[in-house]
Amino acid sequence: MQLNKIIDKAQKSNNLTKEEIVYLLENKNNDLYAAADKIRKQYKGDAVHLRGLIEFTNICRNDCKYCGLRYSNKVIERYRLDENEIIKTAINAINSGYKTIVLQGGEDLWFDADKICRIIREIKAYDTAVTLSIGERNPEEYKAFKKAGADRYLMRIETTDIELYKFLHPNMSFENRVNCLYELKKLGYETGTGCLVGLPNQTIDSLADDILFFKELDADMVGIGPLIPHPETPLKDANKDNFDNALAVMAVTRLILPDINIPATTAMESVRQNGRIIALQSGANVVMPNMTEGEYRKKYEIYPNKICINDSPQRCIKCIKNKIESIGRTVSETKGFRTC
Ligand code: 5AD
Ligand code: FES
């Protein structure tokens, strides 16, 4: 069978041609997911790394056509946590056992390099890894964050289809985004990227290009999410049914980047019950529970029907630990770098 032949090749060489990737995405079945699960086990083991996510600002200068935080969304109530709130939330997460804190926000330049560096230094006073997910900044800022102690940086490319990228991201440059990712790699960050699956006019061919881009960059982490149409965005009528394709893109990514960290994304759980567990059994080895407190959770509405918006950090960590253990996996006690 063609599918199994391609999977075999991937397992032996961790390399696939674009045609082979397209074939896998078009003919995905349980053999693909089982193969990705097997490779995950072989390279990453059964421990799942938890990353505590703090959504510290929903203010954004960009206007991405799919995102609820987009500048033109005038309905959303905007917020910024102050430095003390961010540190307090981080310390709570560290005390609950998290070994990584992820600081995520819209592109909010009120948080200038000095402020971000101060926050990083305060969190790094504890024995923890710090990941930033705050979008495009200039190389000097990336350098300063690194010097302050940041370990990792997440920034999805979203799509490598340049025309589609331009359509989705008014006033942004694909070239700049790619340059940022290579700059981050060069500076020694563990660099994460990823894409959205289910964008209008996105083809299987372009998803295959996305996967090849992850390989070319040698991404250390790849997060894949199904597009969830947000009613207050131009993509409100886009296709909703993107879970299966997102899962397949994730599984194929695992086949050719066997040792990287791959999250079972919150968006997957938001569109499919137990979506994160299904993802953990199809190549993923990371979960990023939300540590944001109180009413801010609801306000960080990148997409609608986000899970856990009425839950507390404590509830989320308990819930996700139970789920992980229920499938015979364990919660990691290490920081979970790509190589360790
Ligand atoms: N549906 C799913 N994911 C989304 N993101 C932004 N908007 C949406 C949406 N409507 C994702 C982007 C971004 C990440 C933080 O959230 O891929 O990189
Ligand atoms: Fe938040 Fe389950 S992960 S309640």
Side-chain angles (χ1 to χ4, degrees):
M1 257 205 322
Q2 179 82 356
L3 187 101
N4 289 311
K5 245 171 82 185
I6 298 172
I7 290 172
D8 264 4
K9 176 186 163 188
Q11 281 171 336
K12 288 196 186 103
S13 68
N14 308 131
N15 242 319
L16 291 173
T17 64
K18 182 164 167 184
E19 290 66 36
E20 289 164 337
I21 293 174
V22 168
Y23 188 91
L24 292 183
L25 296 178
E26 278 175 348
N27 297 281
K28 56 190 180 301
N29 66 13
N30 282 338
D31 290 349
L32 170 63
Y33 303 125
D37 191 46
K38 192 172 143 201
I39 294 195
R40 182 275 309 157
K41 191 176 169 75
Q42 191 184 332
Y43 283 82
K44 307 307 287 178
D46 280 336
V48 175
H49 302 291
L50 298 185
R51 323 288 201 197
L53 182 69
I54 306 177
E55 300 158 332
F56 68 95
T57 171
N58 71 353
I59 296 172
C60 192
R61 63 171 163 162
N62 292 331
D63 214 23
C64 307
K65 288 206 170 113
Y66 44 81
C67 183
L69 307 191
R70 72 196 301 265
Y71 180 75
S72 297
N73 182 1
K74 302 297 179 199
V75 179
I76 187 175
E77 227 181 283
R78 303 284 173 171
Y79 74 87
R80 256 180 205 129
L81 301 194
D82 68 34
E83 287 182 36
N84 286 335
E85 286 177 295
I86 299 171
I87 308 298
K88 235 178 69 193
T89 310
I91 292 172
N92 277 343
I94 293 163
N95 288 338
S96 314
Y98 285 97
K99 303 280 183 265
T100 294
I101 300 298
V102 183
L103 297 172
Q104 185 175 88
E107 289 202 6
D108 178 2
L109 298 185
W110 183 84
F111 284 99
D112 60 17
D114 284 349
K115 289 196 183 86
I116 297 284
C117 285
R118 231 171 20 237
I119 296 165
I120 295 167
R121 279 194 298 268
E122 290 205 49
I123 300 177
K124 286 296 288 186
Y126 300 81
D127 180 27
T128 181
V130 169
T131 304
L132 297 177
S133 177
I134 57 173
E136 295 177 32
R137 299 269 177 145
N138 62 47
E140 286 68 44
E141 292 177 290
Y142 287 154
K143 211 173 183 173
F145 303 154
K146 190 85 192 43
K147 203 167 151 220
D151 303 277
R152 311 192 182 110
Y153 207 103
L154 300 177
M155 188 162 61
R156 290 184 181 170
I157 191 69
E158 315 293 0
T159 176
T160 55
D161 177 330
I162 296 180
E163 282 312 306
L164 183 55
Y165 187 93
K166 270 196 204 147
F167 164 75
L168 293 168
H169 305 101
N171 307 318
M172 289 174 74
S173 141
F174 178 77
E175 195 192 353
N176 189 56
R177 201 164 185 86
V178 172
N179 288 344
C180 283
L181 286 166
Y182 278 93
E183 185 67 30
L184 290 162
K185 276 293 273 192
K186 204 174 84 191
L187 288 169
Y189 284 92
E190 279 209 337
T191 304
T193 189
C195 64
L196 279 168
V197 178
L199 294 162
N201 300 317
Q202 190 179 39
T203 58
I204 292 284
D205 210 70
S206 105
L207 290 170
D209 283 332
D210 295 352
I211 296 171
L212 289 170
F213 173 80
F214 309 151
K215 179 83 180 171
E216 177 71 33
L217 173 69
D218 191 25
D220 303 298
M221 307 169 279
V222 172
I224 311 286
L227 174 78
I228 309 176
H230 190 298
E232 295 297 335
T233 68
L235 295 202
K236 59 176 184 291
D237 297 321
N239 188 358
K240 283 191 169 76
D241 186 19
N242 301 312
F243 181 84
D244 292 332
N245 283 334
L247 194 71
V249 172
M250 191 199 80
V252 175
T253 301
R254 171 61 76 202
L255 296 189
I256 64 168
L257 286 161
D259 66 337
I260 67 169
N261 284 316
I262 298 184
T265 57
T266 306
M268 285 187 168
E269 184 98 11
S270 300
V271 293
R272 179 71 56 92
Q273 199 170 13
N274 277 325
R276 287 177 300 182
I277 292 300
I278 297 168
L280 284 173
Q281 294 176 312
S282 310
N285 70 317
V286 169
V287 179
M288 299 167 65
N290 193 342
M291 287 294 107
T292 314
E293 302 268 1
E295 88 268 26
Y296 300 123
R297 278 189 182 224
K298 289 187 195 65
K299 295 183 183 161
Y300 200 81
E301 199 197 46
I302 296 179
Y303 48 78
N305 306 319
K306 209 169 133 209
I307 53 163
C308 311
I309 55 166
N310 293 314
D311 294 307
S312 64
Q314 288 65 32
R315 204 182 114 82
C316 279
I317 192 167
K318 232 162 94 191
C319 158
I320 197 67
K321 270 189 178 160
N322 282 339
K323 287 189 182 191
I324 289 166
E325 282 160 11
S326 78
I327 56 165
R329 305 273 279 276
T330 58
V331 173
S332 161
E333 305 209 325
T334 73
K335 296 196 181 85
F337 285 99
R338 179 181 185 178
T339 48
C340 65

